[in-house]
Amino acid sequence: MKKNLNHQVTNIEISGIRQFFNLVSNKKDIISLTIGQPDFPTPEHIKQAAKHAINMNYTTYTHNAGITPLRQAVAMYMEEKYNLTYRSEDEVIVTVGASQAIDITLRTILTEGDEVILPGPIYPGYEPLITLTGAKTVFVDTTTSGFKLTKELLRQHISPKTKCLILPYPSNPTGVSYTKKELSELVEELKQRNIFILSDEIYSELNYEGKHYSIARFEEIKDKTIVINGLSKSHAMTGWRIGFLLAPRWLSEHILKVHQYNVSCATSISQYAALEALTNGKNDAIYMRNEYRSRRDYVYDRLTKMGLEVTKPDGAFYFFPKLALGTMSSFELGIKLLEEAKLALVPGDAFSKHGQGYMRLSYAYDRETLEKGLDRLENFIQKK
């Protein structure tokens, strides 16, 4: 019967991040700096709002796109934070995390044979979703351009089959982001082409070098841009599974159809928690962002003193240092770190072939854990 399975499903694999996390989860005395999850609890007032929703029996289906007050709050939040204007009634969809928002977008816009441009190294969650639609992934090597997609690189990889560009920033795994000027150069190329832009901005509130600038602010491409955001990183709500999708009405009405048949609606209890987060907790991320910035500076100082080649992140909570591999792959180095240093980092090749030679280090951990982990890394390097 196995041969009767959907071949697109059998051709994809479990995320390299999860593969490695699962590999180390049962090992003892390991310091893991692998998972990109806030180490802060969800703010108390948000948890109380969820409890209140349960007590009030707000436990039924909601509008497919989300409860009206939450969609209004999303629209107001995005306008206040990022100067983005979307109609809450028909241009905002509340999703089951940013991951589902990405999935339903790609299933709406892609058909078999289409091409999607991804700047690598990149989060591994996009390629399998593209594959499931029958489309093809086209990776762009950004390792020589500061891990940023440039107009020249973009132009080199566009073909008549190009349907979409995915632009995630601040980036997982590198932490780099884009300035208004850098985005404007990409827009100059994109505005003259029939290409969708899927802008994954889930780390927008964790930007340390200035205010986050959304590519959707460029009016000349807004009509073909889909913005993905959510509360997992900004409000330490990964398990609540609330994301936001913002797109022009002509496009969102079709994405909503896919969303409707996929999940009906996001969890009602989580929606009321999200409403509290975006109103009374709209600045909850500030404290966490300041702490992450402090950790970033500490880790950057340690890594550079070790002599490692590393780009200082603009946001998110990752470093992507380059390590000497010799004849090893990044995955093999990851195993060696586990066995010899009792330290777990995510192999860079989990983020496409362009991550080969790098390792991802998450600093979404307390200072004591970071210090111990970096001590082990430094001892490992000194022994080589």
Side-chain angles (χ1 to χ4, degrees), residues 38 77 202 205-206 229-236 284-286 288:
Y77 180 87
I202 190 67
E205 280 297 277
L206 303 182
N229 214 310
L231 298 175
S232 291
K233 314 302 181 180
S234 60
H235 288 72
D284 282 349
I286 293 175
M288 290 182 269

Side-chain angles (χ1 to χ4, degrees), residues 196-244:
F196 290 105
I197 302 100
L198 194 162
S199 187
D200 185 351
E201 304 178 23
I202 190 67
Y203 290 98
S204 59
E205 280 297 277
L206 303 182
N207 197 320
Y208 313 122
E209 303 302 334
K211 197 170 180 64
H212 176 81
Y213 198 95
S214 175
I215 197 170
R217 287 186 62 184
F218 293 90
E219 286 297 325
E220 55 266 54
I221 61 162
K222 186 179 179 184
D223 197 47
K224 54 187 179 184
T225 298
I226 305 98
V227 175
I228 307 295
N229 214 310
L231 298 175
S232 291
K233 314 302 181 180
S234 60
H235 288 72
M237 293 177 67
T238 53
W240 298 81
R241 309 312 301 134
I242 290 290
F244 316 132

